[in-house]
Amino acid sequence: QMEYAHNLLTAYSDSASMVITSRIDSALPAAGMGIPVVIVNSSEFPESERRPPMGLLDIFHVYTPGTEWLYNSTSLGPHERLHNADRWRASDWDVIKCQSPFYYDTAHLFGMIPIQRLGRNLENPEIHNLFHFIITKPTITWRMQRAIEFVFYHHPNARVVIHTELDLEDNDRLLLFKESGYNLIIHKVSFESYLLSVAQELGIEDKTMNSTIKELNKSKFAFSHKTDFMRFAVMYSEGGVYLDTDMYVLRPLPLFMNHHLGYQVHGFPNGAILLFEQGSSFMRSAFEGAVKEYKASGVWTQVGPDLLYSMVNSEPKDSFMVMEQEIFYPYRYQDAHLCFDKVGENDPTLDKSFSVHLNTQKTKNLKTKEGAVCSELLSRYCIFCNNPDPNLLRENIHNLFHF
């Protein structure tokens, strides 16, 4: 029997372009090899056929006898819902690794980690595949981790880059993504060196850039302002999608959104989410404008919302598009707390929203009330769904698991 099973798996691996079966013990290893699987599902099969549980049917193409056959062996790919299985496996791994060092060490010893995700070859060319976060503080909170999870939920094969000056390679919350097979990259870099490099690329003299960096280091808002400079530099140099660590992606971001930002309140744009192509003229102007105008004595918003407000009123209109508030910022900056503590009919609808900004400074110490939008929202697009919100009130526990 062992030899027969080995030979069958070898045949799958060497020659199968599709596997048609009613047996879960044939379907799972084939799917694990990236082979398209069609499950033949019928309640009339004997119990010995081991029909898959209904939950597992979601990750395969399914044919029910008596219905039309719709599958072509030359064009059929793995089912997109394999990403669901990858999320289940990620949650399982998070649970297992915490049970005992034996399980953790054994998984690494036998090469089971990082997990080879079943959906790793399911590319979607119509959505963004490069995301950037900038982290300046050593503590990775549950909500920061969740913001990254939301990206991978909607863009499971994306490359997510964390730009930081800190040693975060061994951070448990971030390492979990790598162990689970997601493409999370820790880019440790001197922000000053990165800014100087981009400035040189743009023809800005080192003397000018060094003077601006000195001003930055004197500001009481230095941490925030360095992040503002870095987001413009990264987006100009690399392109893709920039997200603040308190920005939560609610649906896949289409690739045609490639020169976009949004209003957080009517008429006033914010840079918590930026979607621009590499070499964008708008991002170039943002960086150059920040370098030219920066003063250590300036206000917190000077190279953030204030600069962007000036730009959307002066830059060529074909270089950017500002989306209305409901698209990226359904909550205004000052109203983010309502997602956690307000229950009522006037909650914003998220039907058209691609993201939501839950400003950390306004909300980090809040408990989430039963029935408030965030009592469900923050677990809606999880990867590690076993890991509940530490600020969730006990009566909300039944809402946790949204696979």
Side-chain angles (χ1 to χ4, degrees):
Q1 286 184 336
M2 291 293 292
E3 183 179 359
Y4 174 79
H6 180 269
N7 290 340
L8 186 59
L9 291 175
T10 301
Y12 287 169
S13 177
D14 292 345
S15 59
S17 60
M18 175 195 290
V19 170
I20 304 171
T21 181
S22 62
R23 300 177 68 94
I24 190 63
D25 46 2
S26 296
L28 285 174
M33 297 178 203
I35 301 167
V37 175
V38 178
I39 283 281
V40 180
N41 182 47
S42 174
S43 59
E44 297 180 5
F45 287 158
E47 189 64 29
S48 61
E49 285 293 300
R50 301 181 190 176
R51 292 192 306 115
M54 290 304 294
L56 282 179
L57 283 178
D58 289 344
I59 67 174
F60 303 112
H61 302 283
V62 179
Y63 171 70
T64 303
T67 63
E68 182 181 0
W69 178 264
L70 301 173
Y71 305 112
N72 185 332
S73 63
T74 61
S75 60
L76 187 67
H79 202 293
E80 63 180 12
R81 286 197 293 266
L82 284 177
H83 294 309
N84 291 351
D86 288 334
R87 291 190 282 270
W88 299 336
R89 295 167 78 202
S91 286
D92 286 345
W93 168 241
D94 191 20
V95 172
I96 291 168
K97 68 179 288 189
C98 297
Q99 299 302 309
S100 166
F102 172 80
Y103 299 134
Y104 181 85
D105 293 341
T106 301
H108 283 274
L109 178 65
F110 287 96
M112 299 173 67
I113 301 300
I115 294 171
Q116 295 297 303
R117 292 190 304 108
L118 302 179
R120 62 189 180 276
N121 296 319
L122 286 170
E123 300 293 341
N124 184 344
E126 297 182 357
I127 62 176
H128 279 278
N129 62 7
L130 176 59
F131 290 78
H132 306 277
F133 291 92
I134 296 170
I135 292 181
T136 58
K137 296 181 180 180
T139 300
I140 306 299
T141 66
W142 178 90
R143 282 177 53 185
M144 292 167 69
Q145 176 184 328
R146 203 59 126 199
I148 300 171
E149 290 180 49
F150 274 41
V151 172
F152 280 126
Y153 185 99
H154 297 294
H155 301 258
N157 290 327
R159 181 161 57 101
V160 176
V161 184
I162 293 178
H163 305 270
T164 184
E165 295 184 301
L166 307 170
D167 292 317
L168 296 178
E169 281 288 347
D170 296 326
N171 181 277
D172 288 341
R173 290 191 182 275
L174 301 180
L175 195 58
L176 189 55
F177 289 98
K178 296 182 180 182
E179 293 170 343
S180 301
Y182 292 97
N183 191 7
L184 181 71
I185 297 169
I186 308 299
H187 178 215
K188 185 181 178 183
V189 62
S190 162
F191 287 177
E192 292 184 8
S193 296
Y194 194 99
L195 296 176
L196 279 166
S197 175
V198 173
Q200 290 169 356
E201 184 181 346
L202 294 176
I204 299 172
E205 293 183 358
D206 287 353
K207 179 180 179 181
T208 301
M209 191 68 234
N210 281 318
S211 175
T212 299
I213 289 172
K214 286 182 181 179
E215 286 290 299
L216 262 174
N217 290 329
K218 291 191 294 185
S219 172
K220 64 180 180 180
F221 305 114
F223 274 114
S224 176
H225 289 171
K226 282 185 179 180
T227 301
D228 290 328
F229 271 86
M230 277 294 293
R231 78 184 71 189
F232 298 146
V234 166
M235 290 302 292
Y236 172 77
S237 181
E238 304 181 38
V241 181
Y242 166 80
L243 297 166
D244 276 359
T245 55
D246 51 10
M247 196 72 167
Y248 300 86
V249 176
L250 302 181
R251 64 190 71 225
L253 294 168
L255 202 56
F256 66 76
M257 286 187 174
N258 57 17
H259 56 295
H260 291 62
L261 66 163
Y263 290 117
Q264 181 140 25
V265 294
H266 182 70
F268 291 89
N270 197 315
I273 179 171
L274 299 169
L275 306 91
F276 284 88
E277 293 180 322
Q278 184 182 35
S280 156
S281 62
F282 188 85
M283 286 293 100
R284 174 176 183 147
S285 295
F287 184 80
E288 292 174 336
V291 172
K292 181 180 179 181
E293 302 295 337
Y294 189 76
K295 295 290 186 293
S297 58
V299 297
W300 171 65
T301 55
Q302 67 170 310
V303 284
D306 289 355
L307 175 62
L308 292 173
Y309 176 81
S310 173
M311 290 184 63
V312 300
N313 288 287
S314 61
E315 289 296 303
K317 299 302 181 185
D318 60 354
S319 68
F320 67 92
M321 179 174 290
V322 189
M323 307 302 287
E324 291 302 319
Q325 179 187 334
E326 64 180 351
I327 302 301
F328 295 138
Y329 301 94
Y331 287 100
R332 297 185 302 166
Y333 164 81
Q334 62 269 36
D335 294 336
H337 67 94
L338 298 178
C339 187
F340 297 85
D341 62 19
K342 180 179 179 297
V343 179
E345 297 179 358
N346 295 324
D347 292 330
T349 60
L350 304 177
D351 295 344
K352 297 181 181 180
S353 300
F354 282 84
S355 62
V356 61
H357 188 211
L358 302 175
N359 184 272
T360 298
Q361 294 304 314
K362 294 286 186 180
T363 64
K364 62 182 177 181
N365 295 320
L366 294 179
K367 297 291 184 180
T368 309
K369 290 184 178 178
E370 175 74 21
V373 173
C374 277
S375 67
E376 182 271 335
L377 180 64
L378 288 177
S379 290
R380 185 184 299 177
Y381 302 118
C382 52
I383 302 294
F384 308 107
C385 301
N386 58 291
N387 187 7
D389 182 353
N391 284 328
L392 196 65
L393 295 177
R394 184 170 299 276
E395 57 264 37
N396 296 120
I397 293 298
H398 66 277
N399 285 329
L400 290 179
F401 297 99
H402 294 268
F403 293 92

